[in-house]
Amino acid sequence: VTRQDAERLDAADPLAAFRERFVLPVGVIYLDGNSLGALPRETARRVAEVVNAEWGQDLIKSWNLHGWIDLPRRVGAKIARLVGAEPNEVLVADSTSVNLFKLLAGALRLQKGRPVILSEANNFPTDLYIAQGLIELLGGGYELRTVPRDQVLEALDARVAVLMLTQVDYRSGALWDLAAVTERAHAVGALVLWDLAHSAGALPVDLNGAGADLAVGCGYKYLNGGPGAPAFLYAARRLQEKLRTPLSGWLGHAAPFAFEPEYRPGAGIDRFLCGTPPILSLAALECGVDLTLQADLTLVRKKSLALGELFLDCVQGAVPEFALASPVDPNQRGSQVSLRHPEGYAIVQALIARGVIGDFRAPDVLRFGFAPLYTRYVDVWEAVTILAEIMATRAWDQPEYRVRRTVT
Amino acid sequence: VTRQDAERLDAADPLAAFRERFVLPVGVIYLDGNSLGALPRETARRVAEVVNAEWGQDLIKSWNLHGWIDLPRRVGAKIARLVGAEPNEVLVADSTSVNLFKLLAGALRLQKGRPVILSEANNFPTDLYIAQGLIELLGGGYELRTVPRDQVLEALDARVAVLMLTQVDYRSGALWDLAAVTERAHAVGALVLWDLAHSAGALPVDLNGAGADLAVGCGYKYLNGGPGAPAFLYAARRLQEKLRTPLSGWLGHAAPFAFEPEYRPGAGIDRFLCGTPPILSLAALECGVDLTLQADLTLVRKKSLALGELFLDCVQGAVPEFALASPVDPNQRGSQVSLRHPEGYAIVQALIARGVIGDFRAPDVLRFGFAPLYTRYVDVWEAVTILAEIMATRAWDQPEYRVRRTVT
């Protein structure tokens, strides 16, 4: 594969114009949009407007005047279009972890008599930790059962209250068939809680097409919502009125400004609001979502797969010593390719020092994420070329590249 | 009281220079800093820096390079100085409601055998709702007991696990004696969970001096952290290692980036982190906190009381038809004065239409908050003068002022 091959792919890319809509640092190849999406140009303008004009000038009036009070619903309705849901089925609120807690707690209550939360042993830790915390709080009677990925479906039985899975594995990028798994779970009466952290904005998701129950997702990855952007949650319309959240904060009340002494859950999805949302971060998220909505997600998926294939072609040609940590079949991957190498940590540091930003996940995984709205084919080609230089010269073998940082 | 009297007070105000550190709209008298604090000038610059330089240019590296990962602890340590705590006793995270849930759940577990959460019937609703949600989740065995304010202390007994109070009442501004109440609760073995939403930044709070146990507080009122700014929580050092939070998200893990399958609570206060914090909103909060730290809170309190006294003097002279909804004794008030009037809603709308921004709380309360860092004595004088004009001309008696807004 030559650089010219990559350039030809870029020239023919129907999404190429989106790259100009982002701020990207010069001299950097950013393959970590699966961890923190890049800054949309519009966001800087919009955040300044919210700070200076709305907060600064209109102060408290902005809750009505600029619709701050509706932002969680408004941005939720926009995200709904990206994940195959109705506008009143998605809400932006809190963090993914907090939203997992709300929905898991609600689901266990609905599934009385079923004691098991089933998940995958390699699920993203916060999903498992939240289930553990909830079960511990409930003081017995419930069990988090985690099994290897290939045993999840056979572990479904009548004791399972909720099957909790992340559609795209954070480490390997392995992709679950959302519709097929949902169907299998429903066949034994289990609900499914999907974590769409690495799916939303990266590939078409059709929650309602799959008859999905519950989902959560992340605003700061492929939705480009900014660091720690608020998360979202989805509850199928048919379940909403049956679900109670224990995080019954005032903004989820049926009449928040009546200041009633007793909690009454808000209508539908509104009940999953809790406290006052962080407006600056929420406004930034809206810009990222708006930009994603302008793209055709089928084209996004197509380019994502092509970027991954180009990456693997280059790796196989130039650095065949890396093992593939992702599924071989591109249709079973999300929008990242992960490699495995015993010196993975140091190699990632050496890449970063040369302007190629991927990341490392213990124990030995190098992750390379492809954000089709701003990742070019030539970026992928150059990243592997630099990786090959690092390996050929053992440039990774420096003490400084073994110093562990706080965030890896 | 004349305008000249007010002007003389402003001329002698040792905090007068702080007003220049805020952006304030021209032609507006803002007496709602108890609901949403004003914008510090520095915040606009800092938020733009976080967006453009940190997120935009340094992307994922900013978690280490710009200390994003430490922001919850760093800003928490700063808030600690405002509430009489040690740096490792306060953390910024989530919303007040979510933090209430964490601490209440942890406290109930510590207080096994004690079935009662005791609170005040007029406590801010979210505090009551969160207790209701937790109790419902726990499925029986616990009770939220709410009593009128003057019966709280006598309701303390050996069945009380946690006494949950808001130090300054959101409606009346009535102030609890934090040390005395804590002592009374401890005498029967109860823990106290203080909500400092209307205290932090408005008056000196000495949690450790009072031997306090647990507290939460709000970033967007007197800390001027911006709309929906993240909240904070306090846990006394002696309790931290005993407390478990059910919201056991990954950033509260002892080693978040080890991605272990089992939750292990982080050391000390760190365990109360949950998901990824909203960095833009958190950076804005830090600016508000930094500005507050430059003020002497004893001077802030002194001015706050003087503003309230001036306000009441003016009201008694010009519009004696209003009833006082706040304690008569200024030492029993926070930093607001509330009035009562059957036409309160329409009167507040008429005030807002004339540039005087207070707010309304059902059923009949007009709230006027004094933020001593930017509220001038002359603002208070003018506000009451305009209120008197509205009353004298019945200007409030317009259909448009009866239209209920979403947020009141």
Side-chain angles (χ1 to χ4, degrees), chain B residues 235-248:
Chain B
R237 194 71 196 85
R238 69 181 182 285
L239 294 176
Q240 289 173 6
E241 300 296 326
K242 297 185 209 163
L243 285 164
R244 297 277 293 195
T245 167
L247 289 169
S248 44

Side-chain angles (χ1 to χ4, degrees), chain A residues 35 37 55 64 109 126 129 132 136 220 226-228 244 248 250 253 259-261 263 276-279 281 361 407, chain B residues 35 37 55 60 64 109 126 129 132 136 220 226-228 244 248 250 253 259-261 263 276-279 281 361 407:
Chain A
S35 189
W55 175 16
N64 294 308
R109 189 185 154 101
T126 216
Y129 300 162
Q132 290 162 14
E136 181 178 297
Y220 53 79
R244 297 277 292 195
S248 43
W250 72 304
H253 191 277
F259 299 98
E260 298 172 4
Y263 179 73
T276 311
I279 296 298
S281 290
R361 285 293 175 262
V407 180
Chain B
S35 190
W55 174 16
I60 193 71
N64 294 307
R109 190 185 154 103
T126 216
Y129 300 162
Q132 291 162 14
E136 180 178 297
Y220 53 80
R244 297 277 293 195
S248 44
W250 72 306
H253 191 277
F259 299 99
E260 298 172 5
Y263 179 73
T276 310
I279 296 298
S281 290
R361 285 293 173 263
V407 180

Side-chain angles (χ1 to χ4, degrees), chain B residues 25-49:
Chain B
V26 175
V28 168
I29 296 172
Y30 192 62
L31 301 179
D32 210 10
N34 51 323
S35 190
L36 173 64
L39 168 63
R41 287 194 186 281
E42 168 65 8
T43 306
R45 189 204 63 76
R46 174 67 186 137
V47 170
E49 179 178 67

Side-chain angles (χ1 to χ4, degrees), chain B residues 306-349:
Chain B
L307 288 164
E309 287 302 279
L310 177 66
F311 180 83
L312 281 177
D313 287 349
C314 293
V315 165
Q316 278 153 23
V319 279
E321 62 266 43
F322 284 90
L324 181 60
S326 299
V328 176
D329 176 1
N331 293 308
Q332 292 187 32
R333 291 197 301 259
S335 200
Q336 72 184 64
V337 169
S338 300
L339 304 176
R340 188 164 277 148
H341 194 288
E343 296 292 348
Y345 184 85
I347 295 166
V348 165
Q349 305 318 307

